[in-house]
Amino acid sequence: MDQHSSLKLLGSWADSHTHRVQLALKLKGLEFDYQEEDVVNISPALVLHNPVYKMVPVLLHKDRPVVESVVILQYIDETWAGNPLTPADPFERAVARFWCHFAEDKLAPAVGAVFSSSGEGQKAAVDQVHENLKLLECEMRDGAFKGRRFFGGDKIGLLDVVLGCGSYWLAVFEEVMEVKLVDPESFPAFHAWLRDFEEQNEVKETIPAIDKLLEYARGVRQMMLSLSSSTSTSVPATAAANATGNDDVAVDAIDGSSG
Amino acid sequence: MKAVVLLDFWASPFGQRCRIALAEKGVDYEYREENVLGDKSPLLLQSNPVHKKIPVLIHDGKPVCESLIIVQYIDEAWPDRAPLLPADPYSRAQARFWADFVDVKFNECGSRLWKLKGEAQAAAKEEFIGILKLLEGELGDKKYFGGDAFGFVDVALAPFVSWFYSYETCAGFSIEEAAPKVAAWGKRCMERESVANALSHPDKIYEIVGVLKKKFGVE
């Protein structure tokens, strides 16, 4: 007779944020029920448990919801002490959190922009990805992560989970978009880390097969291209407003999104 | 250089979060004003090479960046007094969620209230009122977002109390009307020494908003 788990994850099979939570739960050796959510036709369950954003993933622990993947990861780590994901030292934690935020706020949107653009716009988006990866590569070679196999040290930690679940899109987009995003010669440290990460058993059990991801990406790309050719797109006011004064410290100091 | 240094800009709500947290913890520190209208200092560039932005907290020579990360660091580095995050993991998750909400929703939408005009501004106003009502619901009848104790979400949102006047004046609405509990909470926060000492006067913020509007060509 199956024991009803006190843990239930609402997720989506192709969503890297969902994978982060699945991986963390596996690393902690925790049993959980999984419910696949349709992210287009949002279910009542999702509205109930995540009324603010109505998005996956949602972790239900004894029926209480925790949302936002990085918040969920820290919740899991603080509730189940074994195999810690977060560093013990406050400064190390701050560094890990900083790069988690970088992954969410800079790297992921840049990679997404490559996928949703074409022509000159895409070239600019690819350059942006390279800029971001260079910063990370530098930190891995000479900075806070120098000499480490994983960001967490000898074992996978919070930042590995956050960056790793999502980095597989780089290879997928390289193939679908026919662009070079992560050249092993330019980013040797990142490449070595990603290879080691993807070799971990728990990671292999979590990340979907590459051919499924490729098929998914091709489908979404087709849909995006057909939408953009049939509708007129105007740059949203927010994007226009945020595009000006990007390097303006005065504006950023007061208004900065990553302040 | 003292053991704790804060690189900051007087009007920055993100810097103010750090000042409030340090004051709540009674931590002695050196405040360094960065000339954000001019050249970035070598110390800033060296301490935050990725974003080159304030605030940066430098503790025994080690830099911590991003205001909410700095506030959590302050809480963890000085754990013996005035805890900013609750002890229980579920409550901590709630606090982190709402602090992030302040950045991603409240501040992002708030900035559109003065950056935009006409229909776009009216849409932003409706959205902002919705965001205020969510905060109103989360606060409820509690003294602070943290409950009886001033906490992480309070630190995250308090600096924006100086911005209420600018939001209201630019977009034409009343925060008191839309979210009376949040308005009352704002006044309670201002009674705390840590907050009163950190925040800029609303008139000064309105002046800054005027300068920024010119930069964005909104007039």
Side-chain angles (χ1 to χ4, degrees), chain B residues 116-166:
Chain B
L116 305 176
K117 300 232 83 176
E119 268 182 48
Q121 186 190 52
K125 182 179 80 175
E126 287 314 305
E127 200 184 322
F128 191 75
I129 289 170
I131 287 166
L132 280 172
K133 290 195 190 298
L134 283 170
L135 287 168
E136 184 91 346
E138 175 55 23
L139 177 64
D141 293 317
K142 299 196 301 270
K143 185 178 181 190
Y144 296 115
F145 285 93
D148 290 326
F150 186 77
F152 190 54
V153 181
D154 304 283
V155 175
L157 188 58
F160 294 99
V161 173
S162 315
W163 290 72
F164 286 1
Y165 173 69
S166 295

Coordinates of all heavy atoms in Angstrom, one line a residue, chain B residues 116-166:
Chain B
L116 N 6.3 56.5 -17.1 CA 5.4 56.5 -18.2 C 4.3 57.6 -18.1 O 4.2 58.2 -17.0 CB 4.7 55.1 -18.2 CG 5.6 53.9 -18.3 CD1 4.7 52.6 -18.2 CD2 6.4 53.9 -19.6
K117 N 3.6 57.8 -19.2 CA 2.6 58.8 -19.2 C 1.3 58.2 -19.9 O 1.4 57.1 -20.4 CB 3.0 60.0 -20.0 CG 4.2 60.7 -19.5 CD 4.0 62.2 -19.3 CE 3.3 62.5 -17.9 NZ 3.2 63.9 -17.6
G118 N 0.2 58.9 -19.8 CA -1.0 58.6 -20.5 C -1.5 57.2 -20.2 O -1.6 56.8 -19.0
E119 N -1.9 56.5 -21.2 CA -2.6 55.2 -21.0 C -1.6 54.2 -20.3 O -2.1 53.4 -19.5 CB -3.0 54.6 -22.4 CG -4.4 54.9 -22.8 CD -4.8 54.3 -24.1 OE1 -4.6 53.1 -24.3 OE2 -5.3 55.1 -25.0
A120 N -0.4 54.2 -20.7 CA 0.6 53.2 -20.1 C 0.7 53.5 -18.6 O 0.8 52.5 -17.9 CB 1.9 53.3 -20.8
Q121 N 0.7 54.7 -18.3 CA 0.8 55.1 -16.8 C -0.5 54.7 -16.1 O -0.4 54.1 -15.0 CB 1.0 56.6 -16.7 CG 1.3 57.0 -15.2 CD 1.3 58.5 -15.0 OE1 0.3 59.2 -15.4 NE2 2.3 59.0 -14.4
A122 N -1.6 54.9 -16.7 CA -2.9 54.5 -16.1 C -2.9 53.0 -15.9 O -3.4 52.5 -14.9 CB -4.0 54.9 -17.0
A123 N -2.4 52.2 -16.9 CA -2.4 50.8 -16.7 C -1.4 50.4 -15.6 O -1.7 49.5 -14.8 CB -1.9 50.1 -18.0
A124 N -0.3 51.1 -15.5 CA 0.7 50.8 -14.4 C 0.0 51.1 -13.1 O 0.2 50.4 -12.1 CB 1.9 51.6 -14.6
K125 N -0.8 52.2 -13.0 CA -1.4 52.5 -11.7 C -2.4 51.4 -11.3 O -2.4 51.0 -10.1 CB -2.2 53.8 -11.9 CG -2.9 54.3 -10.6 CD -3.6 55.6 -10.8 CE -4.9 55.5 -11.5 NZ -5.7 56.7 -11.5
E126 N -3.2 50.9 -12.2 CA -4.1 49.8 -11.9 C -3.3 48.6 -11.4 O -3.7 48.0 -10.4 CB -4.9 49.4 -13.1 CG -6.0 50.4 -13.5 CD -6.8 50.9 -12.3 OE1 -7.4 50.1 -11.6 OE2 -6.8 52.2 -12.1
E127 N -2.2 48.3 -12.1 CA -1.4 47.2 -11.7 C -0.8 47.4 -10.3 O -0.8 46.5 -9.4 CB -0.3 47.0 -12.7 CG 0.3 45.6 -12.7 CD 1.5 45.5 -13.6 OE1 1.5 46.1 -14.7 OE2 2.5 44.8 -13.2
F128 N -0.4 48.6 -10.0 CA 0.3 48.9 -8.7 C -0.7 48.8 -7.6 O -0.4 48.3 -6.5 CB 0.9 50.4 -8.8 CG 1.8 50.7 -7.7 CD1 3.0 50.1 -7.6 CD2 1.3 51.5 -6.6 CE1 3.9 50.4 -6.5 CE2 2.2 51.8 -5.6 CZ 3.5 51.3 -5.5
I129 N -1.9 49.3 -7.9 CA -3.0 49.2 -6.8 C -3.3 47.7 -6.5 O -3.4 47.3 -5.3 CB -4.3 49.9 -7.2 CG1 -4.0 51.5 -7.2 CG2 -5.5 49.6 -6.4 CD1 -5.1 52.3 -7.8
G130 N -3.2 46.9 -7.5 CA -3.4 45.4 -7.3 C -2.3 44.9 -6.4 O -2.5 44.1 -5.5
I131 N -1.0 45.4 -6.7 CA 0.1 44.9 -5.9 C 0.0 45.4 -4.5 O 0.3 44.7 -3.5 CB 1.4 45.5 -6.6 CG1 1.7 44.7 -7.9 CG2 2.6 45.5 -5.6 CD1 2.7 45.3 -8.8
L132 N -0.5 46.6 -4.3 CA -0.7 47.2 -2.9 C -1.7 46.3 -2.2 O -1.5 46.0 -1.0 CB -1.2 48.6 -3.0 CG -0.2 49.7 -3.2 CD1 -0.9 51.0 -3.5 CD2 0.8 49.8 -2.1
K133 N -2.7 45.9 -2.9 CA -3.8 45.1 -2.2 C -3.2 43.7 -1.8 O -3.6 43.2 -0.8 CB -5.0 45.0 -3.1 CG -5.7 46.3 -3.2 CD -7.1 46.2 -3.7 CE -7.8 47.5 -4.1 NZ -8.0 48.4 -2.9
L134 N -2.3 43.2 -2.6 CA -1.7 41.9 -2.2 C -0.9 42.1 -1.0 O -0.9 41.2 0.0 CB -0.8 41.4 -3.4 CG -1.5 40.7 -4.5 CD1 -0.5 40.5 -5.7 CD2 -2.2 39.4 -4.1
L135 N -0.1 43.2 -0.9 CA 0.7 43.5 0.3 C -0.3 43.7 1.5 O 0.0 43.3 2.6 CB 1.6 44.7 0.1 CG 2.8 44.4 -0.8 CD1 3.4 45.7 -1.2 CD2 3.8 43.5 -0.2
E136 N -1.4 44.4 1.3 CA -2.4 44.6 2.3 C -2.9 43.3 2.9 O -3.0 43.2 4.1 CB -3.5 45.5 1.7 CG -4.6 45.9 2.7 CD -4.4 47.3 3.3 OE1 -3.3 47.8 3.2 OE2 -5.3 47.8 3.9
G137 N -3.1 42.4 2.0 CA -3.6 41.1 2.4 C -2.6 40.3 3.2 O -2.9 39.7 4.2
E138 N -1.3 40.4 2.8 CA -0.2 39.7 3.5 C 0.0 40.3 4.9 O 0.3 39.6 5.8 CB 1.0 39.7 2.6 CG 2.3 39.2 3.2 CD 2.1 37.7 3.7 OE1 1.2 37.0 3.2 OE2 2.9 37.3 4.6
L139 N -0.1 41.6 4.9 CA 0.2 42.3 6.2 C -1.0 42.0 7.2 O -0.7 41.7 8.4 CB 0.3 43.8 6.0 CG 0.5 44.7 7.3 CD1 1.8 44.3 8.0 CD2 0.4 46.2 6.9
G140 N -2.2 42.1 6.7 CA -3.4 41.9 7.6 C -3.3 42.8 8.8 O -3.0 44.0 8.6
D141 N -3.6 42.2 9.9 CA -3.7 43.0 11.1 C -2.4 43.0 11.9 O -2.4 43.4 13.1 CB -4.9 42.6 12.0 CG -6.2 42.9 11.3 OD1 -6.3 44.1 10.7 OD2 -7.1 42.1 11.3
K142 N -1.4 42.5 11.3 CA -0.1 42.4 12.0 C 0.6 43.8 12.2 O 0.3 44.7 11.4 CB 0.9 41.5 11.2 CG 0.4 40.0 11.1 CD 1.5 39.1 10.7 CE 2.2 39.4 9.4 NZ 1.6 38.8 8.2
K143 N 1.4 43.9 13.2 CA 2.1 45.2 13.4 C 3.1 45.4 12.2 O 3.2 46.5 11.7 CB 2.8 45.1 14.7 CG 3.5 46.4 15.1 CD 4.1 46.4 16.5 CE 4.7 47.7 16.8 NZ 5.6 47.6 18.0
Y144 N 3.8 44.3 11.9 CA 4.8 44.4 10.8 C 4.6 43.1 10.0 O 3.9 42.2 10.4 CB 6.2 44.3 11.4 CG 6.6 45.4 12.2 CD1 6.9 45.3 13.6 CD2 6.8 46.7 11.7 CE1 7.3 46.3 14.4 CE2 7.1 47.8 12.5 CZ 7.4 47.6 13.8 OH 7.8 48.7 14.6
F145 N 5.2 43.1 8.8 CA 5.1 41.9 7.9 C 5.7 40.7 8.6 O 5.3 39.6 8.5 CB 5.8 42.2 6.6 CG 5.0 43.0 5.6 CD1 5.2 44.4 5.6 CD2 4.0 42.5 4.8 CE1 4.5 45.2 4.7 CE2 3.3 43.2 3.9 CZ 3.5 44.6 3.9
G146 N 6.7 41.0 9.5 CA 7.3 40.0 10.3 C 6.6 39.5 11.5 O 7.0 38.7 12.2
G147 N 5.4 40.1 11.7 CA 4.6 39.8 12.9 C 4.8 40.9 14.0 O 4.7 42.1 13.6
D148 N 5.1 40.5 15.2 CA 5.3 41.5 16.2 C 6.7 42.2 16.1 O 6.9 43.3 16.5 CB 5.2 40.9 17.6 CG 3.7 40.6 18.0 OD1 2.8 41.3 17.5 OD2 3.5 39.5 18.7
A149 N 7.6 41.4 15.5 CA 8.9 41.8 15.3 C 9.2 42.3 13.9 O 8.7 41.8 12.9 CB 9.9 40.7 15.6
F150 N 9.9 43.4 13.8 CA 10.3 44.1 12.6 C 11.3 43.1 11.9 O 12.2 42.6 12.5 CB 11.0 45.4 12.9 CG 11.4 46.2 11.7 CD1 10.5 47.0 11.1 CD2 12.7 46.3 11.3 CE1 10.9 47.8 10.0 CE2 13.1 47.1 10.3 CZ 12.2 47.9 9.6
G151 N 10.9 42.7 10.6 CA 11.7 41.6 10.0 C 12.1 41.9 8.5 O 12.1 43.0 8.1
F152 N 12.5 40.9 7.9 CA 13.1 40.9 6.5 C 12.3 41.6 5.5 O 12.7 42.5 4.8 CB 13.4 39.5 6.1 CG 14.2 39.3 4.8 CD1 15.5 39.9 4.7 CD2 13.8 38.5 3.8 CE1 16.2 39.7 3.6 CE2 14.5 38.3 2.7 CZ 15.8 38.9 2.5
V153 N 11.0 41.3 5.5 CA 10.1 42.0 4.5 C 9.9 43.4 4.8 O 9.9 44.3 3.9 CB 8.7 41.2 4.4 CG1 7.8 41.9 3.4 CG2 8.9 39.8 4.1
D154 N 9.9 43.7 6.1 CA 9.8 45.1 6.5 C 11.0 45.9 6.1 O 10.9 47.0 5.5 CB 9.6 45.2 8.1 CG 8.4 44.5 8.6 OD1 7.3 44.9 8.4 OD2 8.6 43.3 9.1
V155 N 12.2 45.3 6.3 CA 13.4 46.0 5.8 C 13.4 46.2 4.3 O 13.8 47.2 3.8 CB 14.7 45.1 6.2 CG1 15.9 45.8 5.7 CG2 14.8 45.0 7.7
A156 N 12.9 45.2 3.6 CA 12.9 45.2 2.1 C 12.0 46.4 1.6 O 12.3 47.0 0.6 CB 12.4 43.9 1.6
L157 N 10.8 46.6 2.3 CA 9.8 47.5 1.8 C 9.9 48.9 2.4 O 9.6 49.9 1.7 CB 8.4 46.9 2.0 CG 7.2 47.7 1.4 CD1 7.3 47.8 -0.1 CD2 5.9 47.0 1.8
A158 N 10.4 49.0 3.6 CA 10.4 50.3 4.3 C 11.0 51.5 3.5 O 10.4 52.6 3.6 CB 11.1 50.2 5.7
P159 N 12.2 51.3 2.9 CA 12.7 52.5 2.1 C 11.8 53.1 1.1 O 11.8 54.3 0.8 CB 14.0 51.9 1.4 CG 14.4 50.8 2.3 CD 13.1 50.2 2.8
F160 N 10.8 52.3 0.6 CA 9.9 52.8 -0.4 C 8.8 53.6 0.2 O 8.1 54.3 -0.6 CB 9.4 51.6 -1.2 CG 10.4 50.9 -2.0 CD1 11.0 49.8 -1.6 CD2 10.9 51.5 -3.2 CE1 12.1 49.2 -2.3 CE2 11.9 50.9 -4.0 CZ 12.5 49.7 -3.5
V161 N 8.7 53.7 1.5 CA 7.7 54.6 2.1 C 8.0 56.0 1.7 O 7.0 56.8 1.5 CB 7.8 54.4 3.7 CG1 6.9 55.4 4.3 CG2 7.3 53.0 4.1
S162 N 9.3 56.4 1.5 CA 9.6 57.8 1.1 C 9.1 58.0 -0.3 O 9.1 59.2 -0.8 CB 11.1 58.0 1.1 OG 11.7 57.6 2.2
W163 N 8.9 56.9 -1.1 CA 8.5 57.0 -2.5 C 6.9 57.1 -2.6 O 6.5 57.4 -3.7 CB 9.0 55.8 -3.2 CG 10.5 55.9 -3.4 CD1 11.4 55.7 -2.4 CD2 11.2 56.2 -4.6 NE1 12.7 55.8 -3.0 CE2 12.6 56.1 -4.3 CE3 10.8 56.5 -5.9 CZ2 13.6 56.3 -5.2 CZ3 11.8 56.7 -6.9 CH2 13.2 56.6 -6.5
F164 N 6.2 56.9 -1.6 CA 4.8 56.9 -1.7 C 4.2 58.2 -2.2 O 3.4 58.2 -3.1 CB 4.1 56.6 -0.3 CG 4.2 55.2 0.2 CD1 4.8 54.2 -0.5 CD2 3.6 54.9 1.4 CE1 4.9 52.9 0.0 CE2 3.7 53.6 1.9 CZ 4.3 52.6 1.2
Y165 N 4.8 59.3 -1.7 CA 4.3 60.6 -2.2 C 4.6 60.8 -3.7 O 3.7 61.3 -4.4 CB 5.1 61.7 -1.4 CG 4.8 63.1 -1.9 CD1 3.5 63.7 -1.8 CD2 5.8 63.9 -2.6 CE1 3.3 65.0 -2.3 CE2 5.6 65.1 -3.1 CZ 4.3 65.7 -2.9 OH 4.0 66.9 -3.4
S166 N 5.7 60.3 -4.2 CA 6.0 60.5 -5.6 C 5.1 59.6 -6.4 O 4.6 60.0 -7.5 CB 7.5 60.1 -5.9 OG 8.4 61.0 -5.2

